[in-house]
Amino acid sequence: MNILALDTCTEMCSVAILKNGELFEQSLLTQRGHSEKILGMLDEILSQADCGLADMDCIAFGRGPGSFTGVRVGVSVAQGIAFASKLPVVPVSTLAAVAQRAIDEHGADYIAVAMDARMQEVYSATYQSVDGLAELTGEERVCLPELICLDNDSSFFAAGSGWKEYEALMTTKFSGQIHGMDNQLLPTAAAIAKLAVKQIENGHTLAAEQAMPVYLRDNVAKKKGEQ
């Protein structure tokens, strides 16, 4: 199975190819210019993996939540490639990708993901490691940092930029439950590719025209200064 994955939803602009179990990846931290950078990165990763779009079985992409512009860029690029190559797509949550990194890099079992959503809010969700893959245990939501909901009173691993932006408030609220933290984790295409495998195996792919962004927030049209 060959999967091309990409994500532009946050300041991490990322591409990856999972080629017969071998992973090739490139990630770049950048505050802007994702639409200009991602296409060049895609060309580079295809060259690095010594393959072409014709060799791919599916396009996986970060479907949000995240930056409004970044989410749109990722969906548009994934759709464009999928249409041109007649390939199915697999949308993957950026929150799940953060949780997957917590599992892969820290051995986390129960993860509370919080990504900075601007406007004094966070995108949040909780995940459990099931056979080494992040599985959603509740629902994704956007909320004030003090209103994050956990499934139970168990200890958890805190992951994502929201835990950095609102560290004092959130660590005080959940004092005694946090057994580990990585507030630098951002979604990557590598994590998205890994999560896409199971979806593909279960037949959960979509036609290119069905690729849709997930913002979680309704007022996505606000200007950057208002966010």
Side-chain angles (χ1 to χ4, degrees):
M1 182 186 300
N2 296 334
I3 302 171
L4 174 62
L6 63 96
D7 182 62
T8 61
C9 293
T10 68
E11 56 267 40
M12 183 72 81
C13 187
S14 181
V15 297
I17 287 177
L18 190 59
K19 178 185 177 185
N20 298 322
E22 184 177 5
L23 182 67
F24 302 84
E25 60 179 312
Q26 286 192 15
S27 294
L28 175 68
L29 278 171
T30 178
Q31 293 296 327
R32 57 184 62 85
H34 291 61
S35 58
E36 293 82 13
K37 294 179 174 65
I38 192 68
L39 294 178
M41 292 173 68
L42 285 168
D43 287 340
E44 290 177 14
I45 203 74
L46 287 166
S47 176
Q48 183 183 346
D50 191 25
C51 59
L53 291 175
D55 299 308
M56 297 297 108
D57 298 304
C58 190
I59 308 297
F61 66 96
R63 50 79 163 160
S67 155
F68 176 50
T69 301
V71 172
R72 286 190 304 170
V73 167
V75 173
S76 297
V77 172
Q79 279 188 323
I81 296 171
F83 273 125
S85 305
K86 296 181 174 57
L87 292 171
V89 298
V90 174
V92 176
S93 166
T94 49
L95 296 173
V98 171
Q100 188 61 48
R101 288 192 64 191
I103 294 169
D104 293 341
E105 299 173 29
H106 299 283
D109 182 57
Y110 179 51
I111 308 104
V113 178
M115 286 170 45
D116 183 19
R118 311 288 184 176
M119 299 172 65
Q120 304 302 307
E121 292 180 320
V122 293
Y123 300 120
S124 68
T126 55
Y127 295 85
Q128 186 79 33
S129 176
V130 179
D131 296 327
L133 294 176
E135 187 171 292
L136 184 67
T137 62
E139 63 177 10
E140 297 183 347
R141 60 200 299 256
V142 58
C143 63
L144 295 171
E146 62 267 29
L147 296 181
I148 284 180
C149 291
L150 302 179
D151 298 322
N152 51 55
D153 295 328
S154 301
S155 62
F156 63 85
F157 188 92
S161 58
W163 291 99
K164 179 179 181 180
E165 186 70 19
Y166 305 103
E167 183 173 2
L169 186 158
M170 292 168 65
T171 54
T172 298
K173 175 179 172 62
F174 297 106
S175 177
Q177 287 183 260
I178 301 173
H179 69 76
M181 178 185 296
D182 189 338
N183 57 25
Q184 305 291 327
L185 288 180
L186 293 168
T188 62
I192 285 168
K194 186 169 186 177
L195 288 166
V197 172
K198 186 176 181 180
Q199 293 191 49
I200 296 169
E201 291 176 344
N202 291 336
H204 298 160
T205 61
L206 301 174
E209 62 270 18
Q210 294 177 293
M212 297 293 290
V214 173
Y215 299 115
L216 294 186
R217 177 184 283 150
D218 293 329
N219 52 345
V220 292
K222 284 195 173 187
K223 296 179 181 179
K224 185 174 182 180
E226 297 176 304
Q227 296 178 358

mmCIF file of all heavy atoms in Angstrom, residues 141-180:
data_model
loop_
_atom_site.group_PDB
_atom_site.id
_atom_site.type_symbol
_atom_site.label_atom_id
_atom_site.label_comp_id
_atom_site.label_asym_id
_atom_site.label_seq_id
_atom_site.Cartn_x
_atom_site.Cartn_y
_atom_site.Cartn_z
ATOM 1 N N ARG A 141 -14.039 19.264 19.931
ATOM 2 C CA ARG A 141 -14.790 20.483 20.215
ATOM 3 C C ARG A 141 -13.845 21.668 20.293
ATOM 4 O O ARG A 141 -12.624 21.515 20.448
ATOM 5 C CB ARG A 141 -15.589 20.345 21.517
ATOM 6 C CG ARG A 141 -14.750 20.075 22.747
ATOM 7 C CD ARG A 141 -15.582 19.482 23.892
ATOM 8 N NE ARG A 141 -16.635 20.364 24.332
ATOM 9 C CZ ARG A 141 -16.584 21.087 25.450
ATOM 10 N NH1 ARG A 141 -15.515 21.044 26.227
ATOM 11 N NH2 ARG A 141 -17.591 21.857 25.794
ATOM 12 N N VAL A 142 -14.409 22.868 20.151
ATOM 13 C CA VAL A 142 -13.662 24.087 20.408
ATOM 14 C C VAL A 142 -14.285 24.711 21.644
ATOM 15 O O VAL A 142 -15.510 24.800 21.761
ATOM 16 C CB VAL A 142 -13.708 25.046 19.190
ATOM 17 C CG1 VAL A 142 -15.127 25.428 18.812
ATOM 18 C CG2 VAL A 142 -12.853 26.287 19.447
ATOM 19 N N CYS A 143 -13.437 25.128 22.593
ATOM 20 C CA CYS A 143 -13.959 25.609 23.859
ATOM 21 C C CYS A 143 -12.919 26.461 24.570
ATOM 22 O O CYS A 143 -11.756 26.529 24.165
ATOM 23 C CB CYS A 143 -14.362 24.432 24.754
ATOM 24 S SG CYS A 143 -12.975 23.358 25.220
ATOM 25 N N LEU A 144 -13.350 27.102 25.650
ATOM 26 C CA LEU A 144 -12.407 27.783 26.519
ATOM 27 C C LEU A 144 -11.509 26.731 27.155
ATOM 28 O O LEU A 144 -11.956 25.607 27.431
ATOM 29 C CB LEU A 144 -13.153 28.561 27.604
ATOM 30 C CG LEU A 144 -14.036 29.715 27.130
ATOM 31 C CD1 LEU A 144 -14.873 30.249 28.285
ATOM 32 C CD2 LEU A 144 -13.193 30.823 26.518
ATOM 33 N N PRO A 145 -10.251 27.051 27.396
ATOM 34 C CA PRO A 145 -9.326 26.039 27.924
ATOM 35 C C PRO A 145 -9.777 25.424 29.241
ATOM 36 O O PRO A 145 -9.533 24.243 29.495
ATOM 37 C CB PRO A 145 -8.001 26.799 28.071
ATOM 38 C CG PRO A 145 -8.354 28.241 27.987
ATOM 39 C CD PRO A 145 -9.567 28.331 27.142
ATOM 40 N N GLU A 146 -10.469 26.204 30.072
ATOM 41 C CA GLU A 146 -10.909 25.659 31.361
ATOM 42 C C GLU A 146 -12.124 24.750 31.226
ATOM 43 O O GLU A 146 -12.534 24.096 32.202
ATOM 44 C CB GLU A 146 -11.225 26.791 32.342
ATOM 45 C CG GLU A 146 -12.344 27.721 31.917
ATOM 46 C CD GLU A 146 -11.838 28.954 31.172
ATOM 47 O OE1 GLU A 146 -10.783 28.844 30.512
ATOM 48 O OE2 GLU A 146 -12.495 30.004 31.272
ATOM 49 N N LEU A 147 -12.691 24.659 30.011
ATOM 50 C CA LEU A 147 -13.885 23.832 29.803
ATOM 51 C C LEU A 147 -13.582 22.529 29.075
ATOM 52 O O LEU A 147 -14.493 21.834 28.618
ATOM 53 C CB LEU A 147 -14.945 24.620 29.026
ATOM 54 C CG LEU A 147 -15.510 25.856 29.723
ATOM 55 C CD1 LEU A 147 -16.577 26.524 28.860
ATOM 56 C CD2 LEU A 147 -16.081 25.501 31.090
ATOM 57 N N ILE A 148 -12.311 22.173 28.956
ATOM 58 C CA ILE A 148 -11.946 20.891 28.350
ATOM 59 C C ILE A 148 -12.615 19.759 29.131
ATOM 60 O O ILE A 148 -12.615 19.749 30.354
ATOM 61 C CB ILE A 148 -10.418 20.701 28.347
ATOM 62 C CG1 ILE A 148 -9.777 21.561 27.256
ATOM 63 C CG2 ILE A 148 -10.045 19.248 28.128
ATOM 64 C CD1 ILE A 148 -8.284 21.425 27.180
ATOM 65 N N CYS A 149 -13.208 18.831 28.394
ATOM 66 C CA CYS A 149 -13.904 17.701 29.025
ATOM 67 C C CYS A 149 -13.072 16.428 28.877
ATOM 68 O O CYS A 149 -12.625 16.099 27.779
ATOM 69 C CB CYS A 149 -15.261 17.484 28.377
ATOM 70 S SG CYS A 149 -16.453 18.794 28.707
ATOM 71 N N LEU A 150 -12.892 15.719 29.985
ATOM 72 C CA LEU A 150 -12.235 14.424 29.966
ATOM 73 C C LEU A 150 -13.286 13.343 30.189
ATOM 74 O O LEU A 150 -14.340 13.592 30.769
ATOM 75 C CB LEU A 150 -11.162 14.352 31.047
ATOM 76 C CG LEU A 150 -10.051 15.413 30.962
ATOM 77 C CD1 LEU A 150 -9.078 15.241 32.112
ATOM 78 C CD2 LEU A 150 -9.312 15.307 29.639
ATOM 79 N N ASP A 151 -12.985 12.142 29.728
ATOM 80 C CA ASP A 151 -13.942 11.049 29.867
ATOM 81 C C ASP A 151 -14.045 10.537 31.296
ATOM 82 O O ASP A 151 -15.063 10.003 31.709
ATOM 83 C CB ASP A 151 -13.553 9.885 28.946
ATOM 84 C CG ASP A 151 -13.566 10.297 27.488
ATOM 85 O OD1 ASP A 151 -14.448 11.072 27.104
ATOM 86 O OD2 ASP A 151 -12.679 9.858 26.741
ATOM 87 N N ASN A 152 -12.971 10.693 32.049
ATOM 88 C CA ASN A 152 -12.948 10.175 33.417
ATOM 89 C C ASN A 152 -11.905 10.947 34.219
ATOM 90 O O ASN A 152 -11.334 11.925 33.731
ATOM 91 C CB ASN A 152 -12.638 8.672 33.411
ATOM 92 C CG ASN A 152 -11.396 8.355 32.594
ATOM 93 O OD1 ASN A 152 -10.319 8.911 32.831
ATOM 94 N ND2 ASN A 152 -11.536 7.455 31.621
ATOM 95 N N ASP A 153 -11.664 10.500 35.424
ATOM 96 C CA ASP A 153 -10.702 11.176 36.295
ATOM 97 C C ASP A 153 -9.329 10.525 36.262
ATOM 98 O O ASP A 153 -8.496 10.779 37.137
ATOM 99 C CB ASP A 153 -11.236 11.183 37.742
ATOM 100 C CG ASP A 153 -12.512 12.003 37.877
ATOM 101 O OD1 ASP A 153 -12.649 12.996 37.134
ATOM 102 O OD2 ASP A 153 -13.360 11.645 38.715
ATOM 103 N N SER A 154 -9.093 9.686 35.251
ATOM 104 C CA SER A 154 -7.803 9.002 35.150
ATOM 105 C C SER A 154 -6.695 9.978 34.776
ATOM 106 O O SER A 154 -6.943 11.079 34.271
ATOM 107 C CB SER A 154 -7.882 7.895 34.099
ATOM 108 O OG SER A 154 -8.881 6.960 34.416
ATOM 109 N N SER A 155 -5.479 9.562 35.000
ATOM 110 C CA SER A 155 -4.343 10.379 34.584
ATOM 111 C C SER A 155 -4.227 10.329 33.068
ATOM 112 O O SER A 155 -4.695 9.386 32.420
ATOM 113 C CB SER A 155 -3.056 9.871 35.237
ATOM 114 O OG SER A 155 -2.775 8.547 34.830
ATOM 115 N N PHE A 156 -3.600 11.339 32.498
ATOM 116 C CA PHE A 156 -3.508 11.421 31.041
ATOM 117 C C PHE A 156 -2.226 12.118 30.633
ATOM 118 O O PHE A 156 -1.561 12.782 31.433
ATOM 119 C CB PHE A 156 -4.715 12.156 30.464
ATOM 120 C CG PHE A 156 -4.834 13.598 30.910
ATOM 121 C CD1 PHE A 156 -4.163 14.620 30.248
ATOM 122 C CD2 PHE A 156 -5.623 13.938 32.009
ATOM 123 C CE1 PHE A 156 -4.265 15.943 30.663
ATOM 124 C CE2 PHE A 156 -5.737 15.249 32.431
ATOM 125 C CZ PHE A 156 -5.056 16.254 31.753
ATOM 126 N N PHE A 157 -1.890 11.953 29.362
ATOM 127 C CA PHE A 157 -0.762 12.657 28.755
ATOM 128 C C PHE A 157 -1.310 13.882 28.042
ATOM 129 O O PHE A 157 -2.241 13.778 27.238
ATOM 130 C CB PHE A 157 -0.028 11.748 27.771
ATOM 131 C CG PHE A 157 1.260 12.334 27.249
ATOM 132 C CD1 PHE A 157 2.461 12.079 27.890
ATOM 133 C CD2 PHE A 157 1.262 13.138 26.113
ATOM 134 C CE1 PHE A 157 3.656 12.629 27.418
ATOM 135 C CE2 PHE A 157 2.445 13.686 25.635
ATOM 136 C CZ PHE A 157 3.641 13.425 26.292
ATOM 137 N N ALA A 158 -0.768 15.050 28.336
ATOM 138 C CA ALA A 158 -1.218 16.303 27.725
ATOM 139 C C ALA A 158 -0.379 16.593 26.478
ATOM 140 O O ALA A 158 0.849 16.601 26.531
ATOM 141 C CB ALA A 158 -1.078 17.446 28.723
ATOM 142 N N ALA A 159 -1.056 16.813 25.348
ATOM 143 C CA ALA A 159 -0.345 17.007 24.082
ATOM 144 C C ALA A 159 -0.926 18.168 23.298
ATOM 145 O O ALA A 159 -2.143 18.348 23.245
ATOM 146 C CB ALA A 159 -0.408 15.727 23.246
ATOM 147 N N GLY A 160 -0.058 18.958 22.693
ATOM 148 C CA GLY A 160 -0.511 20.021 21.802
ATOM 149 C C GLY A 160 -0.240 21.419 22.318
ATOM 150 O O GLY A 160 0.028 21.641 23.497
ATOM 151 N N SER A 161 -0.342 22.368 21.393
ATOM 152 C CA SER A 161 0.043 23.755 21.662
ATOM 153 C C SER A 161 -0.861 24.464 22.657
ATOM 154 O O SER A 161 -0.470 25.460 23.252
ATOM 155 C CB SER A 161 0.064 24.546 20.346
ATOM 156 O OG SER A 161 -1.214 24.495 19.712
ATOM 157 N N GLY A 162 -2.081 23.968 22.845
ATOM 158 C CA GLY A 162 -2.967 24.586 23.825
ATOM 159 C C GLY A 162 -2.433 24.469 25.236
ATOM 160 O O GLY A 162 -2.651 25.357 26.073
ATOM 161 N N TRP A 163 -1.722 23.381 25.506
ATOM 162 C CA TRP A 163 -1.143 23.176 26.832
ATOM 163 C C TRP A 163 0.027 24.121 27.083
ATOM 164 O O TRP A 163 0.392 24.367 28.237
ATOM 165 C CB TRP A 163 -0.698 21.727 26.993
ATOM 166 C CG TRP A 163 -1.834 20.775 27.049
ATOM 167 C CD1 TRP A 163 -2.325 20.006 26.022
ATOM 168 C CD2 TRP A 163 -2.668 20.502 28.178
ATOM 169 N NE1 TRP A 163 -3.397 19.276 26.448
ATOM 170 C CE2 TRP A 163 -3.639 19.550 27.765
ATOM 171 C CE3 TRP A 163 -2.682 20.959 29.497
ATOM 172 C CZ2 TRP A 163 -4.615 19.059 28.631
ATOM 173 C CZ3 TRP A 163 -3.655 20.474 30.360
ATOM 174 C CH2 TRP A 163 -4.606 19.527 29.927
ATOM 175 N N LYS A 164 0.594 24.655 26.026
ATOM 176 C CA LYS A 164 1.644 25.669 26.176
ATOM 177 C C LYS A 164 1.035 27.053 26.332
ATOM 178 O O LYS A 164 1.435 27.834 27.203
ATOM 179 C CB LYS A 164 2.570 25.639 24.952
ATOM 180 C CG LYS A 164 3.687 26.682 25.008
ATOM 181 C CD LYS A 164 4.576 26.576 23.770
ATOM 182 C CE LYS A 164 5.701 27.592 23.811
ATOM 183 N NZ LYS A 164 6.563 27.500 22.607
ATOM 184 N N GLU A 165 0.051 27.372 25.481
ATOM 185 C CA GLU A 165 -0.554 28.708 25.482
ATOM 186 C C GLU A 165 -1.280 28.993 26.794
ATOM 187 O O GLU A 165 -1.263 30.130 27.284
ATOM 188 C CB GLU A 165 -1.530 28.818 24.304
ATOM 189 C CG GLU A 165 -2.118 30.197 24.100
ATOM 190 C CD GLU A 165 -1.116 31.216 23.608
ATOM 191 O OE1 GLU A 165 -0.051 30.804 23.075
ATOM 192 O OE2 GLU A 165 -1.385 32.428 23.746
ATOM 193 N N TYR A 166 -1.900 27.972 27.370
ATOM 194 C CA TYR A 166 -2.688 28.173 28.599
ATOM 195 C C TYR A 166 -2.184 27.246 29.708
ATOM 196 O O TYR A 166 -2.968 26.691 30.474
ATOM 197 C CB TYR A 166 -4.163 27.907 28.308
ATOM 198 C CG TYR A 166 -4.698 28.746 27.161
ATOM 199 C CD1 TYR A 166 -4.899 28.192 25.898
ATOM 200 C CD2 TYR A 166 -4.968 30.104 27.336
ATOM 201 C CE1 TYR A 166 -5.363 28.958 24.844
ATOM 202 C CE2 TYR A 166 -5.429 30.885 26.284
ATOM 203 C CZ TYR A 166 -5.624 30.308 25.048
ATOM 204 O OH TYR A 166 -6.073 31.076 24.001
ATOM 205 N N GLU A 167 -0.872 27.105 29.780
ATOM 206 C CA GLU A 167 -0.267 26.117 30.682
ATOM 207 C C GLU A 167 -0.655 26.329 32.143
ATOM 208 O O GLU A 167 -1.080 25.385 32.825
ATOM 209 C CB GLU A 167 1.256 26.138 30.543
ATOM 210 C CG GLU A 167 1.934 25.089 31.407
ATOM 211 C CD GLU A 167 3.422 25.002 31.152
ATOM 212 O OE1 GLU A 167 3.947 25.790 30.324
ATOM 213 O OE2 GLU A 167 4.064 24.145 31.775
ATOM 214 N N ALA A 168 -0.542 27.542 32.641
ATOM 215 C CA ALA A 168 -0.819 27.786 34.056
ATOM 216 C C ALA A 168 -2.261 27.445 34.400
ATOM 217 O O ALA A 168 -2.543 26.747 35.384
ATOM 218 C CB ALA A 168 -0.517 29.243 34.406
ATOM 219 N N LEU A 169 -3.183 27.912 33.584
ATOM 220 C CA LEU A 169 -4.605 27.677 33.844
ATOM 221 C C LEU A 169 -4.936 26.188 33.778
ATOM 222 O O LEU A 169 -5.608 25.644 34.662
ATOM 223 C CB LEU A 169 -5.437 28.468 32.833
ATOM 224 C CG LEU A 169 -6.964 28.494 32.973
ATOM 225 C CD1 LEU A 169 -7.527 29.716 32.264
ATOM 226 C CD2 LEU A 169 -7.617 27.237 32.416
ATOM 227 N N MET A 170 -4.472 25.533 32.734
ATOM 228 C CA MET A 170 -4.875 24.151 32.499
ATOM 229 C C MET A 170 -4.177 23.168 33.425
ATOM 230 O O MET A 170 -4.781 22.182 33.864
ATOM 231 C CB MET A 170 -4.647 23.795 31.031
ATOM 232 C CG MET A 170 -5.589 24.563 30.095
ATOM 233 S SD MET A 170 -5.152 24.452 28.347
ATOM 234 C CE MET A 170 -5.399 22.722 28.022
ATOM 235 N N THR A 171 -2.919 23.405 33.736
ATOM 236 C CA THR A 171 -2.233 22.489 34.648
ATOM 237 C C THR A 171 -2.771 22.632 36.064
ATOM 238 O O THR A 171 -2.781 21.665 36.827
ATOM 239 C CB THR A 171 -0.717 22.726 34.635
ATOM 240 O OG1 THR A 171 -0.437 24.112 34.896
ATOM 241 C CG2 THR A 171 -0.115 22.340 33.298
ATOM 242 N N THR A 172 -3.235 23.828 36.417
ATOM 243 C CA THR A 172 -3.857 24.007 37.731
ATOM 244 C C THR A 172 -5.186 23.262 37.800
ATOM 245 O O THR A 172 -5.485 22.566 38.772
ATOM 246 C CB THR A 172 -4.098 25.503 38.023
ATOM 247 O OG1 THR A 172 -2.841 26.176 38.054
ATOM 248 C CG2 THR A 172 -4.809 25.689 39.360
ATOM 249 N N LYS A 173 -5.978 23.377 36.741
ATOM 250 C CA LYS A 173 -7.288 22.716 36.705
ATOM 251 C C LYS A 173 -7.166 21.202 36.783
ATOM 252 O O LYS A 173 -7.946 20.532 37.465
ATOM 253 C CB LYS A 173 -8.038 23.096 35.420
ATOM 254 C CG LYS A 173 -9.371 22.367 35.236
ATOM 255 C CD LYS A 173 -10.066 22.809 33.972
ATOM 256 C CE LYS A 173 -11.305 21.952 33.684
ATOM 257 N NZ LYS A 173 -12.322 22.040 34.733
ATOM 258 N N PHE A 174 -6.163 20.653 36.084
ATOM 259 C CA PHE A 174 -6.026 19.200 36.022
ATOM 260 C C PHE A 174 -4.857 18.704 36.868
ATOM 261 O O PHE A 174 -4.264 17.660 36.580
ATOM 262 C CB PHE A 174 -5.855 18.756 34.568
ATOM 263 C CG PHE A 174 -7.045 19.060 33.709
ATOM 264 C CD1 PHE A 174 -7.014 20.091 32.781
ATOM 265 C CD2 PHE A 174 -8.214 18.334 33.847
ATOM 266 C CE1 PHE A 174 -8.111 20.373 31.986
ATOM 267 C CE2 PHE A 174 -9.319 18.607 33.052
ATOM 268 C CZ PHE A 174 -9.277 19.627 32.133
ATOM 269 N N SER A 175 -4.536 19.451 37.906
ATOM 270 C CA SER A 175 -3.445 19.072 38.803
ATOM 271 C C SER A 175 -3.669 17.665 39.353
ATOM 272 O O SER A 175 -4.751 17.319 39.809
ATOM 273 C CB SER A 175 -3.362 20.068 39.960
ATOM 274 O OG SER A 175 -2.365 19.690 40.880
ATOM 275 N N GLY A 176 -2.627 16.859 39.261
ATOM 276 C CA GLY A 176 -2.720 15.495 39.770
ATOM 277 C C GLY A 176 -3.099 14.469 38.714
ATOM 278 O O GLY A 176 -2.908 13.271 38.918
ATOM 279 N N GLN A 177 -3.648 14.919 37.585
ATOM 280 C CA GLN A 177 -4.041 13.981 36.531
ATOM 281 C C GLN A 177 -3.019 13.894 35.402
ATOM 282 O O GLN A 177 -2.968 12.899 34.695
ATOM 283 C CB GLN A 177 -5.393 14.387 35.927
ATOM 284 C CG GLN A 177 -6.582 14.126 36.825
ATOM 285 C CD GLN A 177 -7.888 14.474 36.139
ATOM 286 O OE1 GLN A 177 -8.456 15.534 36.372
ATOM 287 N NE2 GLN A 177 -8.359 13.575 35.282
ATOM 288 N N ILE A 178 -2.226 14.933 35.233
ATOM 289 C CA ILE A 178 -1.263 14.965 34.131
ATOM 290 C C ILE A 178 -0.018 14.173 34.523
ATOM 291 O O ILE A 178 0.684 14.518 35.466
ATOM 292 C CB ILE A 178 -0.873 16.415 33.790
ATOM 293 C CG1 ILE A 178 -2.110 17.233 33.404
ATOM 294 C CG2 ILE A 178 0.145 16.439 32.657
ATOM 295 C CD1 ILE A 178 -1.838 18.709 33.212
ATOM 296 N N HIS A 179 0.244 13.099 33.792
ATOM 297 C CA HIS A 179 1.431 12.291 34.101
ATOM 298 C C HIS A 179 2.555 12.523 33.092
ATOM 299 O O HIS A 179 3.646 11.958 33.233
ATOM 300 C CB HIS A 179 1.078 10.804 34.164
ATOM 301 C CG HIS A 179 0.708 10.198 32.842
ATOM 302 N ND1 HIS A 179 1.642 9.880 31.886
ATOM 303 C CD2 HIS A 179 -0.486 9.832 32.335
ATOM 304 C CE1 HIS A 179 1.045 9.346 30.843
ATOM 305 N NE2 HIS A 179 -0.250 9.316 31.073
ATOM 306 N N GLY A 180 2.295 13.354 32.091
ATOM 307 C CA GLY A 180 3.310 13.684 31.106
ATOM 308 C C GLY A 180 2.769 14.740 30.167
ATOM 309 O O GLY A 180 1.553 14.920 30.054
#
